[in-house]
Amino acid sequence: MSQIFVAILMGSDSDYNCMSCSKTILDKFSIASEVVVTSAHRTPEETRHYVQDAEQRGCELFIAGAGMAAHLAGAVAAHSTRPVLGVPINNGPLQGFDALLSTVQMPPGIPVGTLAIGAAGAKNAGYLAAQILALKDPALAQALKDERAEQAAAVAAKNVAIKER
Ligand code: RP5
């Protein structure tokens, strides 16, 4: 059986700084991933081929980030019934609002789970991917719970520290 993985797609290498945040989270939980530059508009056939091939090789879900008229996540969703998480990227004159609307406004029946604009969204795409995979992986589910406890402890420590300023 092929190893499961998450595909992280981006429309351009100029999206990498943002989308690498998804990979950082997946790496943290030891989730295998592939990083791919492919464009809904510039390389539509390659995008379709990658999605279909990735499914055959064990891709469980897709994270797709793009800027401007960001149709990459939707194009991936058009070719797959695996979950697709979309990250709108601030890579144009409208500060990502264009990408947000392009990613989120999918027609009924072809969903894209759309995250926040930019790095925060890319990080949460990684976390949400982990949470989806954890449905079938108790060790991963426990690792996510442990990380939540660490976050809570960090907030508590900041609450103590701020009183000492
Ligand atoms: C989108 O256009 C890409 O996702 C990127 O955010 C934006 C600009 O691409 P480049 O001109 O930097 O390649 O398709």
Side-chain angles (χ1 to χ4, degrees):
M1 200 173 93
S2 54
Q3 188 199 15
I4 67 161
F5 68 96
V6 174
I8 303 172
L9 284 68
M10 61 202 78
S12 171
D13 60 350
S14 62
D15 300 323
Y16 181 74
N17 280 350
C18 178
M19 295 310 296
S20 65
C21 295
S22 295
K23 180 164 169 47
T24 299
I25 302 303
L26 295 176
D27 288 349
K28 182 174 186 177
F29 292 103
S30 302
I31 297 168
S33 62
E34 284 185 5
V35 174
V36 181
V37 174
T38 189
S39 167
H41 305 121
R42 292 167 173 157
T43 61
E45 281 306 309
E46 287 80 355
T47 298
R48 178 182 62 80
H49 181 263
Y50 176 78
V51 170
Q52 292 171 340
D53 181 63
E55 274 200 14
Q56 297 289 325
R57 293 185 294 107
C59 179
E60 291 271 289
L61 61 91
F62 297 88
I63 298 173
M68 304 184 78
H71 297 132
L72 182 58
V76 172
H79 295 296
S80 179
T81 54
R82 304 271 159 88
V84 179
L85 306 180
V87 181
I89 297 179
N90 175 6
N91 203 356
L94 303 184
Q95 284 77 51
F97 191 54
D98 44 1
L100 173 63
L101 296 182
S102 302
T103 304
V104 77
Q105 288 290 67
M106 289 298 293
I110 313 291
V112 168
T114 303
L115 285 302
I117 297 169
K123 284 181 195 170
N124 270 348
Y127 280 111
L128 198 49
Q131 290 178 206
I132 292 167
L133 295 176
L135 291 171
K136 292 186 291 186
D137 184 337
L140 179 55
Q142 187 58 52
L144 283 161
K145 284 182 185 155
D146 292 347
E147 212 248 9
R148 289 281 178 102
E150 285 170 23
Q151 285 186 44
V155 171
K158 287 176 187 174
N159 186 40
V160 171
I162 206 164
K163 292 175 175 51
E164 293 164 359
R165 281 192 194 170

